[in-house]
């Protein structure tokens, strides 16, 4: 993939997210689905090697934050990109509405507990960003509290980075029409109908409000140490290539090393 295409997806500190100006069906120079599938296969192989080194080194970690509107493809991205990854070195956490003990603590309490341990890749399927987007739009917090939480999150992510966690934040950007098609497909499929609730349809009706709120959250929290990437997600095969490439680049930047062997080369078991 052309590096300039990849760099264009990054929201730099202080820059507007411009979600309304970004083409959700942008192919980013990828010719077709077949080319994308070949690229993903190669990237997954590279990702597996780098994950092995990260796990063996056991000093640093990688956190992938996946956000997006309902049906943006968070589950599908995880299935496609993390195929062949050693489950021992990878954790996936899906943050839903806080309940029980979660409500008795600050909103970042449950998030901090789920941060990846050293040597691990952690995936947040939804994340603490629900607490500044959904919480604001449903009236749980007001704008003053939302702005305060933006500051909390910037400091929280900076602390994780200082302690050895590399953070990659991806917003899967789909169009309203594509979301409608995917939501309808879920309703029509008995095997997937359980995944959709009436609240999902209500959020679809509030499309523009959610787009604005996500754009503001991205602009307020995209930093040098924890940048946001807005990935076009109408075409699933483009989405998969981009996320896989971003992960490989992030791990290559970490550059994990396997520990030195304790036995000399040529040691025989028998």
């Amino acid at each position: 993939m052309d590096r300039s295409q990849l760099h264009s997806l990054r929201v730099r500190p202080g820059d507007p997210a411009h979600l309304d100006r970004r083409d959700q069906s942008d192919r980013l120079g990828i010719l077709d689905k077949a080319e994308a599938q070949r690229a993903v296969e190669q990237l997954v192989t590279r990702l597996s090697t780098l994950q092995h080194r990260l796990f063996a080194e056991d000093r640093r970690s990688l956190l992938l934050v996946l956000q997006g509107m309902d049906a943006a493809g968070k589950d599908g991205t995880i299935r496609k990109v993390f195929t062949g990854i050693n489950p021992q070195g990878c954790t996936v956490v899906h943050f839903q509405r806080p309940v029980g003990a979660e409500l008795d603590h600050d909103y970042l309490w449950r998030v901090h507990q789920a941060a990846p341990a050293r040597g691990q890749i952690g995936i947040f399927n939804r994340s603490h960003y629900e607490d500044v987007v959904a919480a604001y739009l449903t009236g749980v917090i007001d704008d003053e509290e939302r702005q305060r939480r933006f500051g909390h999150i910037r400091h929280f992510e900076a602390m994780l980075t200082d302690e050895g966690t590399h953070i990659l934040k991806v917003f899967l950007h789909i169009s309203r029409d594509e979301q409608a098609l995917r939501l309808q497909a879920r309703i029509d499929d008995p095997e997937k109908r359980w995944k959709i609730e009436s609240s999902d349809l209500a959020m679809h009706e509030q499309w523009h409000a959610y787009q604005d709120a996500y754009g503001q959250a991205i602009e307020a929290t995209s930093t040098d140490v924890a940048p946001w990437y807005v990935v076009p997600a109408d075409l699933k095969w483009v989405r998969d290539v981009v996320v896989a490439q971003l992960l490989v680049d992030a791990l290559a930047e970490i550059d994990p090393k396997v520990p030195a062997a304790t036995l000399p080369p040529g040691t025989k078991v028998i």
Side-chain angles (χ1 to χ4, degrees):
M1 177 182 292
D2 186 338
R3 290 293 166 178
S4 64
Q5 298 272 22
L6 204 61
H7 293 325
S8 71
L9 306 180
R10 181 169 178 162
V11 178
R12 301 196 176 279
D15 285 354
H18 284 318
L19 295 185
D20 59 332
R21 301 184 190 178
R22 294 177 181 265
D23 181 4
Q24 297 98 331
S25 59
D26 193 340
R27 294 188 176 213
L28 300 174
I30 302 170
L31 294 178
D32 53 32
K33 189 174 182 178
E35 180 189 356
Q37 289 175 334
R38 289 192 296 271
V40 169
E41 289 173 3
Q42 295 172 356
L43 289 165
V44 166
T45 298
R46 178 62 175 156
L47 184 61
S48 179
T49 298
L50 289 167
Q51 184 226 9
H52 166 75
R53 294 175 184 172
L54 184 76
F55 183 78
E57 184 189 66
D58 196 29
R59 289 180 49 238
R60 293 164 293 177
S61 59
L62 172 64
L63 172 60
L64 170 64
V65 175
L66 278 178
Q67 284 289 152
M69 299 288 287
D70 286 326
K74 296 178 287 294
D75 292 348
T77 299
I78 294 168
R79 285 194 301 270
K80 290 288 187 180
V81 174
F82 287 90
T83 299
I85 295 300
N86 185 347
Q88 289 186 95
C90 184
T91 59
V92 182
V93 182
H94 177 64
F95 290 99
Q96 297 180 321
R97 295 184 186 92
V99 296
E102 295 170 344
L103 291 172
D104 293 329
H105 293 81
D106 65 88
Y107 69 98
L108 286 174
W109 176 74
R110 63 176 182 161
V111 179
H112 200 174
Q113 291 188 96
R118 290 180 174 86
Q120 296 280 316
I121 296 176
I123 306 164
F124 284 178
N125 181 344
R126 298 187 184 274
S127 67
H128 43 301
Y129 285 94
E130 299 294 321
D131 294 299
V132 292
V133 175
Y136 172 66
L137 290 175
T138 56
V140 174
I141 61 174
D142 59 18
D143 186 55
E144 182 179 357
E145 177 63 19
R146 180 177 64 147
Q147 297 301 325
R148 187 158 53 242
R149 289 188 178 192
F150 286 152
H152 296 161
I153 288 172
R154 288 193 297 269
H155 289 298
F156 171 65
E157 292 176 346
M159 182 273 292
L160 290 181
T161 302
D162 288 344
E163 290 295 312
T165 298
H166 189 111
I167 301 174
L168 171 63
K169 299 184 296 194
V170 171
F171 181 75
L172 299 178
H173 193 30
I174 63 169
S175 64
R176 191 171 189 271
D177 289 345
E178 179 64 21
Q179 187 197 40
L181 290 173
R182 295 183 188 182
L183 291 176
Q184 188 63 56
R186 287 182 180 179
I187 293 171
D188 296 340
D189 186 345
E191 292 294 324
K192 295 182 178 180
R193 198 173 299 146
W194 64 272
K195 298 180 69 175
I196 190 165
E197 301 175 359
S198 58
S199 59
D200 299 327
L201 301 182
M203 289 175 64
H204 178 68
E205 292 301 315
Q206 293 180 277
W207 174 269
H208 296 294
Y210 272 89
Q211 290 291 290
D212 289 344
Y214 269 121
Q216 291 168 31
I218 290 169
E219 291 165 13
T221 60
S222 195
T223 64
D224 288 329
V225 298
W228 274 105
Y229 289 85
V230 179
V231 175
D234 275 11
L235 298 173
K236 297 176 182 179
W237 42 275
V238 172
R239 171 203 73 195
D240 295 340
V241 174
V242 174
V243 175
Q245 185 66 67
L246 289 172
L247 282 164
V248 166
D249 289 352
L251 282 167
E253 184 176 338
I254 295 172
D255 193 22
K257 308 292 185 183
V258 295
T262 56
L263 295 176
T267 300
K268 304 294 183 182
V269 177
I270 299 175

